[in-house]
Amino acid sequence: MLNHAAAADNGDRYLLLLGADIPLRERAVVSALRTYPGPVLGMSTSPATPLGNRFFDHVLKADYCNAGQALAAVLEFEQETGLRPDAVVPVIEMNVHVSVAIARHYGLPALSDDCLELVRDKHTMKLAFEKAGVPCARHRTFGTLDELREAAAELGFPLVLKPRDFAGNVGTVMVSSAGELPAAFDYCRASLLEVAPLYDFSDGRYQAEEFVAAPHEVSVEVANLGRERAVLAVTDKSKAGAPYFSEMGQMVPSVESENRALRQVALDACEALLIDRGVAHVEVLIDGERLSVVEVAARPGGDGIMDLVERVYGYSPYDFHIASYRGRLDRLPDFPAVPRGIGATAFLKLPPGTITEVGRLPDTTSLETVLHPTAKAGDRSRRDGSYLARAGILECFARGTGHDPQSFRAEVDALAKSRAQQIFRVERERDDGGAPS
């Protein structure tokens, strides 16, 4: 469906958008089609699926997590059509480095190699924070169980294990004692290896961090343009407890939206990592006046956070993100700061077992803006904390001011629980790990 006339009118150039086919990133496609004057292309190993790929003008066939393969596909497309990318925009964690590789070849705006080294490795990231005085947990790297034991002896308990190169809560687990280390190591490693074939990751790259006891976690979306930075929004994270800290949902605006110290720490974290374009996602733990930056991703937040920001503030962060990679901005825009309402997402969660049936979607209320099941009959539901344990998502929005955040969060959570029970049938596992009850 490539619009050759539009490409010709745009100097035979197109916008390449990487990762917008992932669920809850689709609004990036809407933003690109709305703001870019030429064709918008995607990339996928299976261009015919999912159905959302039909919204791109064309989809290149390649793995957008593999820099060599992705660049080869762009070069082949140029040879076939004469069309060249005008900008390469990453939307998810696993293709930031790919966008840099393609942009470098064509001399397009991109993050620097120094920035890439800092943002794609949690170890170098924490070293940069420590150097810049950005508050964060002490950490040590490990690749084997013996190295983990050495790190634990130095850091003490409790501590948190996680892969150095990934996101989405994959492999994240808390350890409270030396006796728990072998099982925690196996969980962390197995979780990474489960997704490694999809994202071209290597074994042996893990990190142990001191556990920061904090009652509240938020994410801060930061707009970066050269040396200018501004906070777009602050999001409250709803999380389950230890040991996996599963993300249960998001809410905008946060009760911490006007926390000046928090906003400054988020800006400082982006500066420490040399992020000079696009939207960055900063995760921060809050315990009164004590702040601790968990990590930063040099791309927009996932989990539908951008959609919540758009509904609440009437502005799509993807618009700025795409424009910054086109190199067409001289200054940061004046971003809306007054919320028009309150929005929240909640992930549909199921008890451990096998999904036997996915029923028809129930009628929704005026509060619900998105109800989307992702699990299928035959899938195994599980209790661990990564994005792989989700069965779907519910998004809600209420207009106006004066809403109590705690009450709204509770209402959305209760509605999500009810929807999950209405939609799915699960043959549960017995607690002893035996046959289903």
Side-chain angles (χ1 to χ4, degrees):
M1 295 185 289
L2 181 61
N3 189 326
H4 290 276
D9 290 341
N10 194 50
D12 290 333
R13 295 298 187 104
Y14 62 87
L15 177 75
L16 180 58
L17 193 61
L18 301 176
D21 58 325
I22 297 293
L24 303 181
R25 268 76 168 187
E26 305 92 342
R27 294 292 296 177
V29 184
V30 176
S31 174
L33 294 172
R34 181 177 62 234
T35 62
Y36 185 69
V40 176
L41 273 63
M43 184 177 288
S44 173
T45 53
S46 302
T49 58
L51 193 61
N53 278 346
R54 287 175 51 81
F55 293 104
F56 289 103
D57 290 294
H58 183 72
V59 180
L60 303 178
K61 185 173 184 179
D63 180 0
Y64 57 45
C65 298
N66 184 303
Q69 189 179 134
L71 177 57
V74 172
L75 293 172
E76 182 180 359
F77 185 69
E78 179 185 3
Q79 191 173 35
E80 292 174 354
T81 64
L83 304 183
R84 296 160 57 91
D86 190 21
V88 187
V89 185
V91 176
I92 63 173
E93 185 84 4
M94 287 69 71
N95 55 41
V96 172
H97 68 292
V98 176
S99 71
V100 171
I102 299 173
R104 285 282 178 275
H105 179 84
Y106 285 97
L108 301 173
L111 298 172
S112 69
D113 292 334
D114 289 340
C115 173
L116 189 62
E117 182 180 353
L118 298 176
V119 300
R120 290 297 299 123
D121 183 342
K122 292 180 175 64
H123 169 58
T124 57
M125 178 183 296
K126 287 288 170 69
L127 292 180
F129 290 161
E130 292 168 355
K131 182 178 180 180
V134 174
C136 64
R138 293 186 305 134
H139 80 285
R140 295 295 181 269
T141 61
F142 67 92
T144 66
L145 180 56
D146 286 342
E147 291 174 351
L148 172 58
R149 288 192 171 107
E150 292 176 4
E154 186 175 352
L155 294 173
F157 295 98
L159 51 80
V160 177
L161 313 186
K162 59 181 67 173
R164 286 167 57 180
D165 306 301
F166 203 63
N169 221 49
V170 169
T172 300
V173 60
M174 189 179 83
V175 187
S176 298
S177 67
E180 297 176 5
L181 287 176
F185 173 79
D186 289 343
Y187 171 79
C188 183
R189 182 170 183 264
S191 298
L192 179 69
L193 295 182
E194 181 180 2
V195 298
L198 296 174
Y199 301 115
D200 196 27
F201 286 141
S202 301
D203 190 10
R205 291 175 56 83
Y206 308 99
Q207 187 154 301
E209 300 180 357
E210 64 177 350
F211 173 68
V212 177
H216 197 192
E217 182 174 347
V218 302
S219 62
V220 185
E221 306 304 317
V222 177
N224 300 272
L225 188 66
R227 293 182 176 274
E228 288 188 272
R229 292 175 180 84
V231 171
L232 290 171
V234 183
T235 303
D236 278 338
K237 289 183 174 294
S238 175
K239 304 198 78 168
Y244 302 118
F245 307 104
S246 175
E247 293 207 3
M248 308 298 289
Q250 318 283 347
M251 185 170 67
V252 177
S254 165
V255 295
E256 299 285 350
S257 290
E258 302 306 317
N259 185 329
R260 292 186 179 181
L262 167 68
R263 296 167 76 93
Q264 188 60 54
V265 160
L267 299 175
D268 292 345
C270 291
E271 182 178 0
L273 300 179
L274 308 178
I275 301 174
D276 61 359
R277 70 181 63 253
V279 176
H281 178 71
V282 185
E283 297 180 347
V284 186
L285 294 169
I286 302 177
D287 181 12
E289 295 183 358
R290 183 190 181 195
L291 304 174
S292 180
V293 177
V294 180
E295 58 192 54
V296 177
R299 44 77 181 167
D303 290 351
I305 293 175
M306 298 300 97
D307 302 1
L308 292 176
V309 173
E310 185 174 2
R311 289 189 192 281
V312 169
Y313 291 102
Y315 173 83
S316 172
Y318 288 124
D319 289 358
F320 167 78
H321 187 65
I322 291 169
S324 71
Y325 274 87
R326 291 182 61 198
R328 300 297 179 90
L329 295 175
D330 297 324
R331 56 180 294 275
L332 287 176
D334 294 324
F335 299 109
V338 179
R340 304 187 302 170
I342 187 170
T345 58
F347 300 112
L348 305 184
K349 297 280 189 173
L350 303 175
T354 300
I355 299 171
T356 59
E357 181 183 349
V358 180
R360 296 178 59 183
L361 296 186
D363 291 337
T364 56
T365 65
S366 59
L367 188 69
E368 297 165 273
T369 55
V370 175
L371 177 59
H372 180 59
T374 54
K376 307 180 300 298
D379 287 351
R380 178 179 173 272
S381 57
R382 50 190 178 182
R383 62 169 55 88
D384 69 43
S386 81
Y387 75 97
L388 298 170
R390 301 168 183 171
I393 188 171
L394 171 71
E395 179 188 328
C396 296
F397 176 71
R399 293 185 181 277
T401 60
H403 300 283
D404 177 65
Q406 187 173 359
S407 298
F408 184 73
R409 176 78 268 170
E411 182 178 6
V412 175
D413 289 345
L415 191 53
K417 183 177 181 180
S418 173
R419 294 307 189 208
Q421 293 172 343
Q422 291 171 334
I423 296 170
F424 298 100
R425 297 292 178 268
V426 178
E427 188 177 75
R428 300 192 183 198
E429 295 177 354
R430 284 200 341 213
D431 291 340
D432 62 3
S437 57

